[in-house]
Amino acid sequence: MKKLALHWQILIGMIAGILFGWFISKFDFGPGFIKDWIKPIGTIFINLLKLIAIPLIIASLIKGISDLKDISKFSLIGGRTIVIYILTTVIAISIGLLIVNIVQPGNSISAETLEQLTSAYQADMGAKVSKAQAQKNSGPLQFIVDMVPSNIFGAASNNGNMLQVIFFVVFFGISLLLIKPEQAAPVKSFFDSLNEVIMKMVDLIMLMAPYAVFALLAALVVETSNPDLLVALAKYAMTVVLGLALMVGVYLLTVSTYVKMSPGKFLQGISPAQLLAFSTSSSAATLPVTMERVEEHLGVEKEVVSFVCPVGATINMDGTSLYQAVAAVFICQALDFELTFADQLTIILTAVLASIGSAAVPGAGMIMLVIVLEAIGLPADKLAIGLALIFAVDRPLDMCRTVINVTGDATVALLVGKSVGKIGTPNVKNWDDNLEEVI
Ligand code: ASP
């Protein structure tokens, strides 16, 4: 009998997790049971994915660069990646601004709802504001300084330092290209083999995915409090989701017109990564799966995938930037803070920077929203109220925007791959097809 495709298994796990969480929360013992016996499965899975991320970046990027044979190809890939990333982010923000200005979700919030929403969460907001402030107070070149590690082991010991690791690995890979081929051969073959081992580890971790998403979503349902507040924010949430859906349309259009890949094939190839992004709210945790899917199922060659995807996971967040634009304008509408056209332009600029600065972890986009709100001059007291206002729906929106962040990275990998002639036939090695071999 043919095995059910991975994305269906994950989807079934997600739905079963939501239903189970909803059912069990009716019993007094439910939350405790989920916390003690179910949630750990999800946490182990996320830890495993994070565990594999740095070794995967090191092995696959070194292999990718050393396969290029000359440096000019690498600078071509690097240059195009950055330009396309910025371009897609600006498109995402513009879509967000357009929609929020048309729908005006903030104007329908009544004074009572405003009071109810903000009093529930205002106490938590001080920490978020000061976190963003710390990031903002650094000088203009600080982000470049931050990219250059002073100790590679220190950098590799923290997944938050992904760009530092990428910097070291690119430097290493380029140097490997510059020495004589016979001298480079042993290092190259070591990393080739390491890369295969790590890809196999990703396959093995993915065996757990359907059960893990069950656990993650069951825990999320049990932990979500106060559903009434979610309803009050429905119009705002729908505006964000509508914007994100339009962004998917933009991706599908570019993939089908420029890359000539059918939307169905693209979505089928990338869907397990999208479902994981939704379940984990973290593009960093999803990265190993994104890379595997883009390479093995969409056929983009390793040279491109190994650079574009890790860099994208850290700096390209189309979903986050779109959300930040909508949230900023929504808060201003709800708090009667007038926005000029120049303010909207400021939102475009700062949301690009804020999304680059957002870490690829749950909730990061909301912290960096502070920078956007400050740039348009929202006073400090209103700022905390504004964040408290949108807090109730932040997690579901985080899940949705992370899907777009990951889809954006995959799309750009295809675009860059196509532009440098590095798209081949997909070479599916993942566990759907060789489960017997795995076991
Ligand atoms: N959770 C998002 C991500 O990992 C970042 C955010 O928007 O909060 O991509």
Side-chain angles (χ1 to χ4, degrees):
M1 197 178 73
K2 200 172 175 314
K3 262 187 77 54
L4 204 57
L6 181 60
H7 57 274
W8 290 119
Q9 295 187 29
I10 298 180
L11 203 62
I12 292 171
M14 289 167 73
I15 295 171
I18 293 173
L19 293 178
F20 183 71
W22 171 78
F23 174 74
I24 205 151
S25 58
K26 307 260 171 268
F27 301 95
D28 286 346
F29 70 90
F33 176 77
I34 295 274
K35 180 169 161 281
D36 293 340
W37 297 101
I38 304 290
K39 195 175 177 187
I41 303 170
T43 312
I44 291 172
F45 178 68
I46 294 188
N47 285 353
L48 285 171
L49 286 172
K50 287 185 181 162
L51 170 73
I52 208 78
I54 297 267
L56 175 66
I57 292 173
I58 295 177
S60 83
L61 197 49
I62 291 179
K63 175 166 166 46
I65 297 178
S66 60
D67 282 348
L68 278 176
K69 309 220 168 44
D70 87 82
I71 302 177
S72 62
K73 281 219 187 86
F74 180 71
S75 48
L76 198 68
I77 292 175
R80 286 190 187 174
T81 304
I82 305 296
V83 171
I84 303 180
Y85 274 156
I86 294 176
L87 216 65
T88 54
T89 307
V90 172
I91 293 174
I93 300 170
S94 310
I95 290 180
L97 282 181
L98 193 73
I99 294 200
V100 73
N101 280 300
I102 296 174
V103 180
Q104 309 232 340
N107 292 344
S108 55
I109 296 257
S110 69
E112 271 164 25
T113 320
L114 201 67
E115 170 66 23
Q116 191 195 10
L117 282 165
T118 51
S119 62
Y121 299 110
Q122 205 166 358
D124 301 338
M125 293 305 136
K128 288 201 190 314
V129 175
S130 45
K131 219 167 171 179
Q133 234 116 27
Q135 188 124 355
K136 208 189 111 201
N137 287 340
S138 39
L141 292 183
Q142 190 59 36
F143 77 100
I144 301 181
V145 175
D146 288 344
M147 233 183 263
V148 185
S150 58
N151 182 311
I152 184 56
F153 297 104
S157 70
N158 178 354
N159 283 19
N161 291 338
M162 214 113 92
L163 281 183
Q164 295 192 346
V165 176
I166 293 172
F167 175 87
F168 175 82
V169 175
V170 168
F171 195 8
F172 184 95
I174 289 176
S175 307
L176 194 64
L177 276 181
L178 292 176
I179 63 176
K180 289 200 193 96
E182 58 279 16
Q183 284 173 328
V187 175
K188 192 171 167 335
S189 71
F190 170 77
F191 281 105
D192 282 0
S193 153
L194 183 66
N195 181 62
E196 286 301 318
V197 176
I198 289 172
M199 286 308 250
K200 183 55 78 188
M201 290 171 84
V202 176
D203 285 348
L204 291 174
I205 296 170
M206 286 305 282
L207 290 173
M208 211 183 146
Y211 310 100
V213 294
F214 171 91
L216 288 168
L217 289 185
L220 197 67
V221 171
V222 169
E223 285 162 8
T224 304
S225 56
N226 217 342
D228 296 350
L229 295 185
L230 304 189
V231 178
L233 290 169
K235 200 167 169 193
Y236 153 69
M238 291 313 295
T239 311
V240 176
V241 172
L242 180 66
L244 295 176
L246 284 176
M247 199 57 207
V248 175
V250 171
Y251 295 143
L252 294 182
L253 199 70
T254 33
V255 165
S256 59
T257 50
Y258 182 65
V259 187
K260 308 265 183 299
M261 180 181 282
S262 78
K265 183 174 173 217
F266 172 67
L267 288 175
Q268 201 181 3
I270 197 65
S271 55
Q274 292 175 317
L275 295 173
L276 278 192
F278 187 82
S279 308
T280 61
S281 287
S282 167
S283 22
T286 312
L287 179 64
V289 183
T290 315
M291 289 173 72
E292 194 219 35
R293 300 303 295 191
V294 173
E295 188 183 334
E296 293 184 5
H297 290 254
L298 300 180
V300 183
E301 290 179 21
K302 183 174 291 298
E303 296 87 300
V304 175
V305 177
S306 62
F307 178 76
V308 178
C309 291
V311 170
T314 23
I315 68 165
N316 181 50
M317 302 206 178
D318 298 343
T320 300
S321 59
L322 188 151
Y323 146 85
Q324 284 167 338
V326 175
V329 177
F330 168 76
I331 289 172
C332 294
Q333 288 169 350
L335 301 181
D336 281 329
F337 183 82
E338 203 66 46
L339 283 178
T340 61
F341 183 68
D343 288 333
Q344 309 245 5
L345 291 180
T346 309
I347 292 179
I348 297 187
L349 188 69
T350 47
V352 171
L353 299 176
S355 69
I356 290 175
S358 300
V361 296
M366 185 175 175
I367 296 174
M368 298 304 282
L369 175 62
V370 171
I371 291 181
V372 182
L373 293 172
E374 281 185 338
I376 49 178
L378 196 73
D381 54 328
K382 286 202 171 189
L383 205 146
I385 298 178
L387 289 185
L389 182 64
I390 57 168
F391 189 70
V393 281
D394 197 60
R395 182 63 195 229
L397 293 183
D398 192 5
M399 296 159 83
C400 299
R401 64 190 189 241
T402 309
V403 174
I404 304 306
N405 291 344
V406 166
T407 312
D409 298 341
T411 305
V412 175
L414 273 170
L415 298 181
V416 174
K418 174 79 179 177
S419 79
V420 293
K422 293 265 172 214
I423 297 191
T425 5
N427 171 21
V428 181
K429 284 191 259 170
N430 107 320
W431 73 278
D432 305 19
D433 306 283
N434 64 356
L435 187 60
E436 291 76 20
E437 197 187 310
V438 165
I439 295 170

